[in-house]
């Protein structure tokens, strides 16, 4: 059974035996042994041929997949300011339990991460955490969409990208200047693309269901207009952008076209957008309320196509913990967002089983591409590199129950869903951060 | 006879044709009580009914209260301004506290759609939705059905035109669902800014002109223009609204000669409805109010278990 307390154990050497080692970046997909020594990947061996050493911890991974550590480039860790929802410690523990070895955290904390002091605080707290934490800094001071934040100083403190996620940049001139100025520091701008005038006070996707439920709708146009604006600015300035949490068919098409034209654009979608539709809201289920909202089957299929054909580069969870204080209320009052770190792999595995993705593509979406886009280490299993490794048991069946949740918050629409496929061992720099296996 | 097995009345959507017929028959049989010199029967003696109104209401609140009192229930009502909501208590907590006092029925009106559903999830009493946001107002829909049934004998095959702000009207939603369920053809018309997407899915036909909507209509339902929505850019002025979307004697000529004119109230005279139509013989607006009491008596009776005895 799940045993997060097995985390933090350090052995000088770890031997992962008989696993299927899948490393698309190095073109590797073979069964064998992987040896970890002193926190690094020491080598690959045919099954049974790795050198043994004293105190070595070994795992028989027959039937399991050994992948480069997964990276979630879109999470909300809530610290500082909303520690009752999540902390860097609890959030990274949830990450490890979900198979992630690294996360990039959005700056809409309280106070927001728009300066080097907050960036440093996050990184200090993260040192003892269960995953690498890559802070994302604000685009605008205070996240207020008026003045540019201090990109240079935040970069020095350790931010890997910039975003006003959660509070979109309404002013197009500010967005253009942000792209230009971010170029001085080689920082990526992550766009939360939303036209607020169209989405204001909206609670769900606009359509027949919102009409029936009497909830104010958010039309797809609210996203697509701003996706187009952001793509247009990226093309014009030649600076890279990454579009966050894509939820509609037309957004996927716009991004695909921009890529065909050679624009420096990447994009992500979240597991809920390829797994659920607005129907999950059913009788005012606030656990299915998020922004952008869940859309329709047609959009869900388009997201799957985008993940398959490369219009979308990344699966990121938009892990957004909220306590029941924010969720057990009237639908209009409920906070947007769901937790996602622990269900990303099981939901991605559904796409693998449905032949939407092959395993290598899944690894690209969850590890290779986020590493490349953020310009951080990882995304491959290379000899000599830090041993950030995720082991998935593709056959492991489980029901995601409330008492399994590792995150400090339990706001998931996937509770009580039956899954097949799960992270069973997570290794961060040679240290076991999550394991439900016997060594 | 059909057995009524709903614990709550949350929406017209939840009610079957048979449920609706039973409610209307029951209401019709209760209507006589209100014309007696002593307007009281002991049916709900000892039952506790709480009205929880988070939005202003005169008609609906009073109608429920009269209905409950004529059935001898003990009634209590709480308005938002006097409730703990202003002290920051959540709806769920308010409801749990009320539940601890063991009411049999809680009647709720709230500006957020789905609030009655939230209450029903958390508390043991029966919930009656007295209007939630822009979702539904089932008791109003039922009294409209009752009024038309009384006047026309049967709803099946009638053309019902609903004119005005469909998007923000919970009454329109309950009416479209209810009349369609009972076999009427519902046609709607209003400024396109006030016709919500996908309304056809509830059963309505969206018309291209007022003339088309009213042509040979048996029932013309006008909806209140909510003046508080004037800050949204939905239509330019009440004057223009009255000229192009208001129902007056001239446009009523398109409808059948014996067409009924209805309005859920309160009326903006001269805006959505011309005064001489509102006060004409074709108007059944006050019958709606009278029937409201009977329908609500029926609802209280049926959900408290009266349906079991039939």
């Amino acid at each position: 059974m799940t045993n997060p307390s097995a985390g933090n154990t350090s052995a000088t050497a770890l031997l992962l035996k008989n696993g299927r080692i899948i490393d698309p970046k190095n073109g590797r997909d073979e069964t064998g042994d992987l040896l970890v020594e002193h926190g690094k990947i020491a080598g690959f061996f045919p099954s049974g041929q790795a050198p043994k050493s004293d105190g070595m911890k070994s795992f028989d991974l027959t039937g399991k997949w050994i992948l480069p550590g997964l990276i979630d480039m879109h999470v909300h860790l809530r610290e500082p300011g909303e520690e009752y929802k999540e902390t860097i410690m609890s959030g990274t523990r949830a990450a490890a339990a979900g198979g992630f070895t690294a996360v990039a955290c959005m700056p809409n904390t309280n106070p927001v991460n728009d300066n080097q002091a907050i960036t440093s605080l996050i990184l200090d707290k993260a040192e003892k955490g269960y995953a690498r934490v890559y802070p994302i800094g604000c685009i605008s001071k205070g996240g207020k969409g008026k003045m540019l934040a201090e990109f240079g100083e935040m970069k020095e403190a350790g931010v890997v990208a910039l975003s006003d996620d959660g509070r979109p940049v309404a002013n197009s001139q500010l967005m253009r200047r942000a792209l230009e100025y971010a170029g001085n520091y080689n920082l990526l701008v992550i766009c939360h693309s939303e036209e607020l005038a169209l989405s204001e006070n909206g609670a769900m996707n606009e359509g027949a269901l919102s009409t029936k439920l009497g909830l104010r709708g958010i039309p797809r146009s609210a996203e697509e207009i701003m996706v187009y604006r952001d793509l247009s600015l990226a093309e014009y300035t030649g600076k890279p952008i990454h579009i966050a949490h894509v939820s509609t068919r037309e957004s996927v098409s716009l991004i695909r076209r921009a890529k065909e034209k050679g624009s420096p654009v990447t994009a992500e979608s979240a597991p809920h957008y390829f797994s659920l539709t607005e129907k999950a809201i059913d009788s005012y289920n606030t656990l299915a309320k998020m922004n952008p909202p869940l859309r329709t089957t047609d959009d869900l299929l388009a997201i799957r196509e985008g993940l398959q054909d490369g219009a979308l580069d990344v699966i990121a969870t938009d892990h957004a913990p909220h306590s029941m204080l924010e969720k057990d209320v009237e639908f209009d009052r409920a906070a947007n967002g769901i937790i996602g770190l622990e269900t990303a792999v099981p939901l991605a595995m559904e796409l693998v089983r449905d032949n939407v993705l092959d395993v290598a593509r899944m690894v690209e979406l969850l590890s290779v591409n986020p590493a490349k886009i953020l310009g951080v280490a990882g995304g491959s299993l290379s000899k000599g590199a830090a041993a950030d490794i995720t082991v998935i048991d593709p056959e492991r069946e489980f029901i995601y129950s409330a008492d399994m949740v590792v995150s400090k918050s339990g706001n998931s629409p996937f509770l009580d869903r039956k899954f097949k496929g799960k992270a069973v061992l997570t290794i961060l720099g040679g240290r076991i951060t999550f394991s439900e296996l016997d060594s | 006879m059909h057995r009524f097995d709903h614990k709550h009345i949350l929406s017209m959507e939840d009610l079957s044709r048979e449920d609706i017929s039973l409610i209307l028959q029951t209401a019709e049989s209760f209507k006589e009580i209100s014309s007696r010199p002593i307007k009281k029967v002991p049916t709900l003696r000892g039952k506790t009914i709480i009205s929880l109104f988070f939005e202003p209401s005169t008609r609906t609140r009073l109608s429920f209260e009269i209905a409950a009192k004529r059935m001898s229930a003990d009634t209590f009502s709480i308005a938002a301004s006097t409730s703990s909501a202003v002290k920051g208590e959540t709806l769920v907590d308010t409801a749990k506290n009320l539940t601890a006092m063991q009411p049999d029925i809680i009647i709720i009106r709230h500006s957020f759609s789905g609030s009655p559903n939230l209450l029903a999830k958390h508390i043991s009493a029966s919930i009656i939705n007295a209007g939630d946001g822009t979702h539904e107002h089932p008791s109003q829909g039922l009294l409209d059905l009752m009024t038309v049934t009384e006047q026309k004998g049967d709803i099946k095959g009638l053309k019902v035109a609903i004119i005005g702000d469909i998007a923000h009207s919970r009454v329109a939603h309950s009416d479209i669902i209810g009349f369609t369920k009972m076999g009427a053809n519902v046609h709607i018309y209003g400024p396109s800014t006030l016709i919500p997407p996908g309304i056809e899915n509830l059963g309505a036909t969206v018309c291209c002109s007022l003339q088309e909507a009213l042509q040979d209509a048996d029932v013309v339902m006008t909806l209140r223009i909510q003046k508080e929505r004037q800050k949204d850019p939905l239509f330019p002025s009440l004057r223009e609204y009255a000229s192009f979307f208001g129902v007056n004697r001239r446009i009523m000529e398109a409808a059948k000669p014996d067409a009924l004119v209805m309005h859920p109230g309160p009326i903006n005279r001269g805006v959505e409805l011309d005064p001489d139509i509102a006060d004409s013989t074709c108007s059944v607006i006050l019958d709606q109010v009278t029937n409201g009491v009977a329908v609500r008596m029926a609802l209280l009776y049926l959900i408290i278990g009266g349906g079991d005895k039939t």
Side-chain angles (χ1 to χ4, degrees), chain B residues 218-291:
Chain B
D218 298 285
V219 177
V220 177
M221 173 93 60
T222 51
L223 299 171
R224 193 173 84 87
I225 280 300
Q226 290 159 294
K227 290 182 178 159
E228 59 270 25
R229 298 203 184 275
Q230 286 289 293
K231 57 184 189 295
D232 289 343
L234 295 167
F235 57 89
S237 67
L238 292 174
R239 199 169 64 90
E240 177 153 305
Y241 185 92
S243 314
F244 292 88
F245 305 97
V247 170
N248 54 34
R249 193 165 290 285
R250 183 181 50 78
I251 193 73
M252 273 301 288
E253 281 169 16
K256 284 194 181 153
D258 61 347
L260 305 174
V261 170
M262 303 176 77
H263 191 295
I267 306 174
N268 297 306
R269 285 176 175 262
V271 181
E272 67 264 9
L273 192 56
D274 210 54
D276 66 329
I277 292 289
D279 302 330
S280 71
T281 51
C282 60
S283 164
V284 289
I285 294 169
L286 295 176
D287 302 78
Q288 291 174 270
V289 179
T290 304
N291 288 337

Side-chain angles (χ1 to χ4, degrees), chain A residues 231 241-243 246 251-261 263-269 301-315 356-358 361-362 364-365 369 372-373:
Chain A
L231 293 171
I241 60 164
H242 175 82
I243 310 272
V246 171
S251 295
V252 176
S253 302
L254 288 167
I255 292 161
R256 189 181 285 120
R257 250 174 285 157
K259 285 184 167 185
E260 282 163 7
K261 281 196 288 180
S263 285
V265 173
T266 56
E268 73 190 31
S269 189
L301 293 174
I303 301 293
R304 292 180 175 199
E305 287 159 22
L307 291 168
Q308 188 176 49
D309 71 13
L312 300 173
D313 306 89
V314 170
I315 295 172
V356 175
L357 308 176
D358 61 25
R361 180 66 188 154
M362 181 183 86
E364 281 173 9
L365 292 163
N369 292 346
K372 190 165 75 187
I373 291 164

Side-chain angles (χ1 to χ4, degrees), chain A residues 17-64:
Chain A
K17 296 186 297 187
N18 307 319
R20 179 176 165 195
I21 302 168
I22 303 163
D23 179 8
K25 200 172 165 195
N26 290 319
R28 188 190 295 272
D29 185 350
E30 62 195 17
T31 299
D33 294 358
L34 188 161
L35 180 65
V36 173
E37 280 180 335
H38 308 296
K40 295 194 159 46
I41 294 172
F44 302 89
F45 304 89
S47 289
Q49 294 187 23
K52 303 278 191 307
S53 62
D54 287 345
M56 173 187 276
K57 210 171 168 150
S58 69
F59 293 92
D60 180 8
L61 300 182
T62 305
K64 301 184 176 59

